[in-house]
Amino acid sequence: MKQLTIDPAASGLPTRNHTGTKTFPEAKTTRVHPSNAKEEDTNATLYFIGTATTLLEWEGIRILTDPNFLHAGDHVHLGPGVSATRQTNPAIDIEELPRVDAVLLSHYHEDHFDRLAEDKLKRDLPIITTPHAHSCLTAKGEESFTSVHALDFFESLQMSFIHSAEQATSSKRPSIKVTGMPGKHVPPGPLAVANDILKAVPPTNGWMVELGYSDSSSQFENCYRIYISGDTLMIDELKEIPERYRGQNIDLMLIHLGGTTIPGPSMPLLMVTMDAKQGIQLMELINPDVTIPIHYDDYDVFMSPLNDFKKAVLEAGWSDKVVYLDRKDQFKFNVRQGKGGSAETSADSGLLGEQLGTQAVG
């Protein structure tokens, strides 16, 4: 398993020309799920920015997913002769991001890593992504990103975080284990073969993100497990996920929906992300405690709006297993502290995050 050690106090703000102190974004609405914890007992937050862009905070650690900060009316390139227009604005602008310790990038597509991210993110910001995206991000000459870590399907990387000299010598410290999960934008068959030759649509990953603690030998103890589907269709390879995690609970699933069509809904020749029907199939397969849909209405190539998924969830009788977030909403949850885990309380963790945010720009 690959290893990466990060000191959040040294991470700083994520863009090259960031100015001013930026705290964690204020949410419009806070959601919790009764099967996990009451809001006052939570110690982790997922903030929805838009498309597949979220900001995760736990133990003073911040992870950004699929940075897409274009505004309504802006265009992205999705393949030869295929473009899309953004319909919404992100909850915050890229310059309003707080300190970020690492980025999870599911694939190198402009609606997941747009030109603002390409131009403005610091070159040394750690990015965990696909082998294809790694080759793209590190081949830009003087503009190359310098801390890119590639994971193929079922390869893992463990991020260990040092908050202080005291924690660096403690028996347990916060860690996040990231494992690449299967994903395919293009369904199996002749189109997939053609795409492999033409390289029109890039390879994509899902992720299993495990929040927990590690000891001095880097032995990892999971305390909360998040599956992020990435831009995939319902493919046979996904069936391996519940087999590999048999007997291990998946607490949360972030599912990319929208039924993205190429070249677009007016000419739906090819669907490259899950629609509502496939989303329900994935819920049945993965069986997470909670599902949060993302990536569902931000571009004009989405054919299956969120209401389709809401209707399908209602018909399946799973309304108590889904939490819906709009842009600028947050989901708060509790990461269970395991044996020998940090004795830090939720309040201490929040204070630590504030201290790190101040240190990063001080």
Side-chain angles (χ1 to χ4, degrees):
M1 181 162 55
K2 299 178 180 180
Q3 301 286 332
L4 176 64
T5 300
I6 297 174
D7 182 356
S11 293
L13 295 167
T15 62
R16 295 194 280 190
N17 297 315
H18 228 108
T19 58
T21 301
K22 302 296 181 182
T23 58
F24 196 82
E26 183 179 350
K28 177 180 62 178
T29 304
T30 297
R31 311 286 186 188
V32 294
H33 195 271
S35 70
N36 179 253
K38 297 178 180 179
E39 184 177 352
E40 59 267 25
D41 297 325
T42 59
N43 58 13
T45 301
L46 181 85
Y47 181 86
F48 183 40
I49 295 173
T51 319
T53 312
T54 67
L55 185 62
L56 172 67
E57 182 177 58
W58 166 71
E59 284 275 25
I61 301 160
R62 291 173 183 159
I63 306 297
L64 180 70
T65 67
D66 289 352
N68 179 211
F69 290 90
L70 295 177
H71 281 236
D74 291 336
H75 299 273
V76 294
H77 174 73
L78 297 180
V82 180
S83 63
T85 304
R86 182 146 189 178
Q87 307 295 296
T88 63
N89 290 324
I92 58 174
D93 289 333
I94 193 168
E95 294 86 358
E96 296 176 306
L97 282 169
R99 172 186 51 80
V100 170
D101 300 305
V103 172
L104 280 182
L105 175 60
S106 62
H107 62 307
Y108 194 61
H109 229 172
E110 279 194 13
D111 59 329
H112 293 256
F113 196 83
D114 62 30
R115 56 184 177 270
L116 295 177
E118 188 98 38
D119 294 342
K120 296 186 177 186
L121 289 179
K122 292 191 304 186
R123 302 298 103 168
D124 62 350
L125 181 64
I127 300 174
I128 301 168
T129 190
T130 63
H132 169 265
H134 175 277
S135 66
C136 295
L137 293 170
T138 58
K140 299 179 180 296
E142 294 183 356
E143 285 294 290
S144 293
F145 289 84
T146 60
S147 184
V148 186
H149 308 270
L151 293 179
D152 214 333
F153 298 164
F154 299 113
E155 285 188 329
S156 298
L157 178 147
Q158 183 173 318
M159 291 184 281
S160 296
F161 297 87
I162 303 171
H163 290 318
S164 65
E166 181 180 350
Q167 282 200 11
T169 58
S170 66
S171 60
K172 293 283 186 179
R173 61 184 179 182
S175 294
I176 297 179
K177 180 181 175 182
V178 179
T179 304
M181 293 290 112
K184 285 187 178 179
H185 245 326
V186 181
L191 286 174
V193 174
N195 185 64
D196 289 342
I197 297 171
L198 298 173
K199 310 295 183 185
V201 180
T204 184
N205 271 11
W207 306 111
M208 193 68 77
V209 180
E210 296 176 85
L211 311 180
Y213 298 90
S214 60
D215 58 21
S216 57
S217 65
S218 295
Q219 183 173 347
F220 179 78
E221 178 185 9
N222 172 70
C223 299
Y224 193 92
R225 189 173 285 113
I226 304 170
Y227 169 55
I228 306 175
S229 73
D231 276 14
T232 187
L233 298 168
M234 193 66 195
I235 53 172
D236 286 342
E237 289 86 339
L238 295 176
K239 296 176 182 177
E240 190 170 348
I241 297 174
E243 290 299 319
R244 284 185 177 251
Y245 290 88
R246 183 180 295 275
Q248 302 178 65
N249 194 57
I250 295 176
D251 300 276
L252 174 63
M253 177 168 73
L254 302 183
I255 184 171
H256 293 203
L257 293 173
T260 309
T261 55
I262 293 178
S266 62
M267 191 184 297
L269 299 180
L270 180 64
M271 189 173 76
V272 296
T273 66
M274 292 187 182
D275 59 7
K277 179 181 178 181
Q278 292 193 11
I280 291 294
Q281 292 172 348
L282 188 64
M283 284 184 67
E284 185 174 16
L285 177 69
I286 301 298
N287 191 30
D289 290 347
V290 184
T291 294
I292 296 178
I294 58 176
H295 188 276
Y296 50 74
D297 69 353
D298 292 274
Y299 284 89
D300 62 356
V301 289
F302 291 146
M303 187 175 64
S304 181
L306 184 60
N307 280 339
D308 286 358
F309 183 66
K310 288 182 175 181
K311 181 180 178 181
V313 166
L314 186 64
E315 291 174 350
W318 289 344
S319 296
D320 61 339
K321 295 173 67 70
V322 180
V323 170
Y324 297 103
L325 299 181
D326 195 1
R327 284 155 292 273
K328 209 172 183 178
D329 288 349
Q330 66 183 6
F331 174 66
K332 303 196 77 170
F333 56 97
N334 184 49
V335 177
R336 302 171 298 274
Q337 295 178 0
K339 296 178 181 178
S342 170
E344 182 180 63
T345 66
S346 292
D348 291 337
S349 178
L351 178 59
L352 176 60
E354 292 177 9
Q355 291 171 340
L356 287 170
T358 302
Q359 291 172 12
V361 295

